[in-house]
Amino acid sequence: MSKHRRARREKRRVTPVALVTAREAPLAAEAVEATEEVDETSDAVAEAVRRTSTGLLSASVLMAAGTLVSRLSGFVRSALIFAAIGASLNADIFTGANTIPNALYVLLAGGVFNVVLVPQLVRAMKNDSDGGEAYAQRIITLGLLVLGISTVVLVIAAPLLVRVVFDSRLFDPGNEDALSSAYALMRYCLPQIFFYGAFVLVGQILNSRGRFGPMMWAPIVNNLISCAILVTYIVLYGESNGSGGFTGPQELLLGVGSTIGIAAQALVLLPYLRAAGFHYRPRFDFRGVGLGHTLKLGAWTLGFILVNQVMFVVITRIGTSAGLLAITDGNPDPAGTTVYASAFLITQVPHGVITVSLVTATMPLISRLAAEGDLRQVRNEVQNNIRSVLALLAPIAVAVFALSGPLGTVVGSWGSMEGNTETISTTIAAFAPAIIFFSLHYMSLRGFYALEDTRTPFFIQIVLATVNIGLAVTLASQVEPSAIAPTLAVAYGGAYLVGSLLSITVLSTRIGPVLDVPSLVYLLRLVAACVVTMAVMLMLSAFLLEPLGLDSVGKIDALLALVGVGGIGAGVYLALAWLLRIREVTAVVRTVLRR
């Protein structure tokens, strides 16, 4: 063993760092050591290291709190959409037009910004004499240029995008008004691409400097503005659930209002950027400073995102077909894009609050370990992330499945959708398994990205997308319009089951077995706790809610069911976690109580 490595290990042993477990102490010591070697006067880097050393789980709790509040405000927004425009063709047109900008941003640059940029920023902070500030300035300048030019081109190409995204039946005679609204809303919403990109660029620079909170709290601003827009719509135009398109003023209010919300979400981050010690000035000297390496890594990520967006377009087209088929068949209760998106939002809350928060906090540390070639510690970090996330996500998935009925009522039983939420509830239940599989896949891919391997995730995603599209097309063709959204949710879960198993298997060949014997024993204990918890919740639903009449369509009844059965289920799971020594749960509980 080299003298340098032995000294570094000794430093790991004695560094006093107040973290959740001892495994983070070596990371803090190495981060401080690396920072001192590069630039002892770099305040921004020192601040990032200091913040990292205060504890990964504490940082995750801060981010999780912001994400939770953001998602709750997103629930209010979803409820207002159902109240204002229902779940028929009009709602699907607005949802599609308002969702496409995010998908296109991800296609253009999101993969590079989200998964390649943080490791590169960390390396620049470690290796550059200015703590990576010039590198970050070039990244922002280049990113904003690409986003601005792309946004202008795509706004001009809006009619073509409508043809790509929406089902071909929208262009049939008799749907002219709905088609006109699709064109208008697409043009009004596409400028969101620029502001999504600016938000993530600034947010990731903050993350790389240890400022995790602002990026998680900023979306609340967007949701509040969106809620205000929808309330204004209800006041001015009332509630509807139609299929004949919107008027010009309605299109302007919904489309431009949604874009203003995304712009505000990006702008609120700017004061935090200055507070983090970063001062932006445009730099156009892009050559010879390492951007080529970043863009090379991003090329495979772009392919990954392209595969994802093909999958997204196919699913969106199938979803919008529900409302159009309902018009043809006279079906009054289609379940298409809006129902699918709302149920997806609900089931993504645990992922956003738990998985994204924890991975965002640990990604810089895993990247440092990978840069030093310490693959054993990389594997330990990945394993610990998976254990911690599953300890919280698995019981939530159980609760979502068991309480899908009340959840659907609370979210969807508003306005014209009052008392008509069976399809929403069914879709939520169908999404429940995907809560686990999606997060497993997400965490596994971050292991590849820390290793600067963007090629392998691309090929894994091809397999996943093929399974998703194949299942969606096959299953959706066999069901009524009212069952399309639940069917798409089942296809989604099946695809991510395959994707998570494949990504974990391939990652294990790179860093060692991710699911080793101790991990499998842990999973058995976790499954046992979840099975008992699910049995208790289902029995409570069957033998308590129905006799008391709390399984009805009323929102108050649904809230009582969520609080009552959900609270008892949480208590049962916590007790089982203590009995079965699932320490990840008790560690999180202690940290949350302290915070």
Side-chain angles (χ1 to χ4, degrees):
M1 182 185 299
S2 69
K3 179 179 179 182
H4 175 70
R5 181 171 296 181
R6 186 180 300 109
R8 193 168 61 187
R9 287 195 176 182
E10 289 299 321
K11 188 172 185 178
R12 289 179 181 179
R13 293 192 186 104
V14 299
T15 302
V17 184
L19 300 181
V20 177
T21 63
R23 65 188 175 89
E24 285 84 13
L27 276 296
E30 289 183 345
V32 173
E33 181 182 29
T35 303
E36 290 172 350
E37 289 174 356
V38 175
D39 185 5
E40 294 181 357
T41 64
S42 178
D43 293 336
V45 178
E47 174 70 4
V49 174
R50 184 190 67 77
R51 287 177 173 271
T52 300
S53 66
T54 59
L56 292 178
L57 193 50
S58 294
S60 299
V61 168
L62 174 63
M63 292 184 290
T67 305
L68 180 60
V69 176
S70 174
R71 299 291 184 170
L72 289 174
S73 59
F75 285 163
V76 176
R77 177 182 175 275
S78 293
L80 286 171
I81 288 177
F82 284 124
I85 55 180
S88 293
L89 181 59
N90 280 2
D92 286 349
I93 288 173
F94 170 66
T95 301
N98 197 36
T99 305
I100 284 300
N102 181 261
L104 290 173
Y105 148 69
V106 172
L107 177 60
L108 287 169
V112 179
F113 290 173
N114 274 312
V115 299
V116 177
L117 188 55
V118 167
Q120 294 301 300
L121 286 169
V122 168
R123 283 168 171 78
M125 290 172 67
K126 177 180 176 180
N127 299 323
D128 294 355
S129 60
D130 64 348
E133 183 152 331
Y135 180 85
Q137 289 172 344
R138 295 182 182 98
I139 284 288
I140 292 180
T141 303
L142 181 60
L144 293 180
L145 283 173
V146 172
L147 288 166
I149 294 170
S150 301
T151 299
V152 171
V153 171
L154 289 169
V155 169
I156 296 172
L160 177 61
L161 290 174
V162 171
R163 286 195 169 271
V164 171
V165 171
F166 291 101
D167 187 84
S168 59
R169 297 178 184 86
L170 183 61
F171 301 89
D172 291 346
N175 294 326
E176 290 82 4
D177 291 339
L179 179 60
S180 176
S181 291
Y183 286 140
L185 287 169
M186 187 71 78
R187 284 192 295 268
Y188 293 147
C189 291
L190 281 172
Q192 295 174 20
I193 295 169
F194 178 83
F195 297 110
Y196 274 123
F199 167 73
V200 175
L201 269 174
V202 175
Q204 295 293 29
I205 289 174
L206 288 172
N207 286 343
S208 69
R209 292 168 181 263
R211 303 273 181 150
F212 300 109
M215 191 178 183
M216 297 300 180
W217 286 86
I220 298 170
V221 176
N222 170 44
N223 285 333
L224 291 176
I225 292 174
S226 297
C227 290
I229 294 297
L230 290 166
V231 169
T232 303
Y233 182 97
I234 293 172
V235 171
L236 294 178
Y237 306 111
E239 302 167 348
S240 65
N241 191 21
S243 304
F246 300 97
T247 65
Q250 290 172 339
E251 295 162 356
L252 194 66
L253 176 63
L254 293 172
V256 175
S258 298
T259 299
I260 289 173
I262 302 301
Q265 173 181 284
L267 291 174
V268 297
L269 291 184
L270 297 182
Y272 297 98
L273 194 63
R274 182 171 292 273
F278 179 80
H279 302 280
Y280 172 69
R281 66 179 182 86
R283 296 190 63 141
F284 299 91
D285 50 334
F286 302 133
R287 296 180 62 87
V289 292
L291 290 180
H293 179 60
T294 301
L295 295 176
K296 181 179 179 181
L297 291 172
W300 284 108
T301 307
L302 178 62
F304 175 97
I305 299 301
L306 180 60
V307 171
N308 259 5
Q309 299 320 306
V310 170
M311 181 169 63
F312 170 80
V313 168
V314 172
I315 300 303
T316 300
R317 287 178 67 93
I318 295 173
T320 56
S321 71
L324 294 163
L325 285 169
I327 296 174
T328 304
D329 301 342
N331 190 315
D333 299 315
T337 300
T338 302
V339 172
Y340 179 87
S342 297
F344 179 78
L345 172 66
I346 292 171
T347 54
Q348 282 290 292
V349 170
H351 172 77
V353 172
I354 298 169
T355 311
V356 173
S357 298
L358 182 61
V359 171
T360 301
T362 58
M363 191 67 183
L365 299 177
I366 295 176
S367 299
R368 292 188 188 104
L369 288 170
E372 295 173 358
D374 193 349
L375 296 185
R376 181 177 179 180
Q377 190 67 15
V378 169
R379 185 188 68 174
N380 291 341
E381 290 292 334
V382 171
Q383 287 178 323
N384 283 320
N385 281 349
I386 290 176
R387 289 163 65 99
S388 298
V389 167
L390 285 182
L392 300 177
L393 277 191
I396 291 174
V398 166
V400 166
F401 180 82
L403 298 173
S404 58
L407 274 172
T409 299
V410 171
V411 173
S413 188
W414 300 91
S416 59
M417 295 290 292
E418 183 82 33
N420 188 25
T421 59
E422 182 179 352
T423 55
I424 300 173
S425 298
T426 305
T427 308
I428 292 171
F431 263 124
I435 295 174
I436 297 172
F437 302 141
F438 180 84
S439 285
L440 279 174
H441 182 66
Y442 178 91
M443 289 184 289
S444 300
L445 293 189
R446 267 56 195 173
F448 290 109
Y449 296 138
L451 298 170
E452 292 194 331
D453 178 5
T454 54
R455 181 174 178 268
T456 302
F458 167 73
F459 291 106
I460 292 174
Q461 203 67 10
I462 288 178
V463 176
L464 186 151
T466 301
V467 173
N468 195 1
I469 292 173
L471 287 174
V473 172
T474 302
L475 296 176
S477 64
Q478 308 296 320
V479 299
E480 298 294 324
S482 59
I484 284 181
T487 297
L488 294 178
V490 170
Y492 182 89
Y496 275 95
L497 170 60
V498 173
S500 61
L501 292 175
L502 182 59
S503 59
I504 288 173
T505 301
V506 177
L507 182 62
S508 296
T509 65
R510 299 286 303 277
I511 64 175
V514 174
L515 295 180
D516 53 14
V517 173
S519 297
L520 293 175
V521 172
Y522 166 81
L523 288 177
L524 288 175
R525 299 202 310 269
L526 182 64
V527 169
C530 288
V531 168
V532 175
T533 302
M534 175 178 280
V536 170
M537 296 182 75
L538 291 177
M539 285 190 293
L540 284 172
S541 298
F543 299 112
L544 182 61
L545 297 186
E546 292 182 16
L548 293 178
L550 296 180
D551 61 331
S552 63
V553 295
K555 289 184 282 292
I556 300 300
D557 294 342
L559 281 172
L560 290 173
L562 288 174
V563 173
V565 177
I568 294 172
V572 170
Y573 178 73
L574 290 175
L576 290 169
W578 180 75
L579 288 172
L580 296 173
R581 297 183 179 181
I582 303 176
R583 295 183 178 87
E584 289 76 8
V585 176
T586 55
V588 169
V589 171
R590 287 195 301 268
T591 301
V592 171
L593 291 176
R594 285 199 306 268
R595 300 287 286 184

